[in-house]
Amino acid sequence: MSHTAHIPSHRKPRRSASKLALRAGVAGGVLSTIAVAGAAGPANAEPVTETIEMPTLGSLGTDLSSAVAASAEASQQEALGQSLEAQEAAALEKAAKEAKKAKAEADRKAEAERAEKARQEAEAKAERERAEAEARAEAQARASRDSARTQLTSTSASDSSSSSSSSSSSDSSSDSGSSSSDSVQAPSGTAAAIVAFARAQIGDAYVMGGTGPNSWDCSGLVQAAYAAAGIDLPRVSGSQSSMGTSVSLSNLQPGDILYWGSRSGSYHVAVYVGGGKYVGAQNPSTGVVERSLDWDTPSGAVRIL
């Protein structure tokens, strides 16, 4: 075996310096107490035989460890308490912010709802006022049309008695080769009834398929005007323009039917009312109007009377 090999030592392990100091202090204290007691006593005093029990190192270590543990636990509890208080404060602050935000959002929604309600009420009021105005205008227009129709009825009755004499004079003027001048002679008899009815509907609405009494399409108005004079016509414009006799636009008479397109396939019709004008249900934007022939020159005309 090498002389440098490790050989187990029989020496006792060295005590730590702290433990040795602690034991020395305790022992010194005990010896000092005994020495003082001996010196203070009489010379013939008996030796002190009272035994003083000193705390052992083990119990001191245990007490110290307990104290340290208790202090650590107290510190931990205090830190935990502070942490909980901080969390509670943060939670309260967060809850307050969320409550404030929720209240602001609720106020905003309430204000928006009030504004929307006010807008709807204003629109409803405007709509009611508009409807009332339209109703008043319609009532006035209806009253005007009723008055015109009443006048038309009386005029037709009075003109019926003179229709034979006027027709004979008209025939004689036609035979002489002169063209009729409707701007000079007002329509009478059946033609007057047709013209009066057509003019009484001016201002009515245009509605596709409308046949009255307050809305018309072009052929519906022409059919109703002739029906007021006791003459039945087909419903559609193409059939209406195919009836009667074709006449030139330079030889028109009140009551003639004007058409646009071909005679057998016209797409629009109106009633010639004299003076170079006609009455017709034009379109949804204009309704029933009276227009000059120059405004929209027709393709041709037919005479039913």
Side-chain angles (χ1 to χ4, degrees):
M1 178 181 295
S2 173
H3 65 280
T4 59
H6 292 284
I7 301 174
S9 176
H10 295 286
R11 295 180 182 178
K12 292 183 179 180
R14 295 182 179 179
R15 299 181 183 273
S16 63
S18 59
K19 289 184 179 181
L20 291 176
L22 179 60
R23 290 188 176 185
V26 172
V30 172
L31 293 176
S32 298
T33 302
I34 295 173
V36 170
N44 57 352
E46 296 181 358
V48 177
T49 58
E50 183 178 356
T51 303
I52 300 175
E53 294 183 0
M54 299 299 295
T56 63
L57 293 177
S59 62
L60 289 175
T62 301
D63 294 340
L64 182 60
S65 299
S66 298
V68 171
S71 177
E73 184 177 358
S75 299
Q76 185 177 6
Q77 291 293 334
E78 183 179 359
L80 181 60
Q82 293 176 353
S83 176
L84 291 175
E85 291 178 358
Q87 291 178 3
E88 290 177 357
L92 289 175
E93 183 179 1
K94 181 179 180 182
K97 289 181 179 179
E98 291 179 351
K100 184 177 180 181
K101 182 179 180 181
K103 183 178 182 302
E105 182 66 17
D107 293 342
R108 186 190 64 79
K109 288 183 178 180
E111 183 63 26
E113 290 176 356
R114 286 193 295 269
E116 178 64 18
K117 184 177 180 181
R119 184 187 66 80
Q120 292 177 354
E121 290 177 352
E123 289 182 353
K125 182 179 179 181
E127 181 65 20
R128 288 194 301 269
E129 292 177 351
R130 185 186 64 80
E132 291 173 358
E134 290 181 352
R136 288 193 296 270
E138 178 64 23
Q140 293 175 357
R142 186 178 295 109
S144 177
R145 289 195 296 270
D146 291 342
S147 176
R149 289 165 184 167
T150 301
Q151 184 178 2
L152 170 63
T153 302
S154 60
T155 302
S156 299
S158 61
D159 289 343
S160 297
S161 59
S162 60
S163 60
S164 57
S165 60
S166 62
S167 60
S168 61
S169 61
S170 175
D171 292 339
S172 61
S173 63
S174 298
D175 292 338
S176 63
S178 60
S179 61
S180 62
S181 176
D182 54 65
S183 61
V184 175
Q185 182 179 1
S188 61
T190 303
I194 295 171
V195 171
F197 182 90
R199 279 181 166 157
Q201 314 314 311
I202 293 175
D204 282 357
Y206 176 95
V207 176
M208 180 66 70
T211 57
N214 299 314
S215 60
W216 313 86
D217 64 8
C218 63
S219 57
L221 176 62
V222 172
Q223 184 186 44
Y226 271 76
I231 299 174
D232 293 331
L233 287 182
R235 172 65 182 86
V236 296
S237 58
S239 299
Q240 292 174 359
S241 60
S242 298
M243 298 185 65
T245 304
S246 180
V247 294
S248 66
L249 298 180
S250 61
N251 192 32
L252 294 174
Q253 292 181 1
D256 288 346
I257 299 176
L258 306 178
Y259 64 86
W260 285 256
S262 63
R263 182 180 179 186
S264 59
S266 61
Y267 58 86
H268 183 62
V269 290
V271 175
Y272 182 68
V273 295
K277 297 181 178 180
Y278 64 88
V279 172
Q282 291 300 106
N283 52 60
S285 61
T286 62
V288 179
V289 293
E290 182 174 326
R291 291 283 190 265
S292 170
L293 292 176
D294 297 334
W295 186 78
D296 186 12
T297 305
S299 304
V302 294
R303 183 168 298 158
I304 307 296
L305 304 178

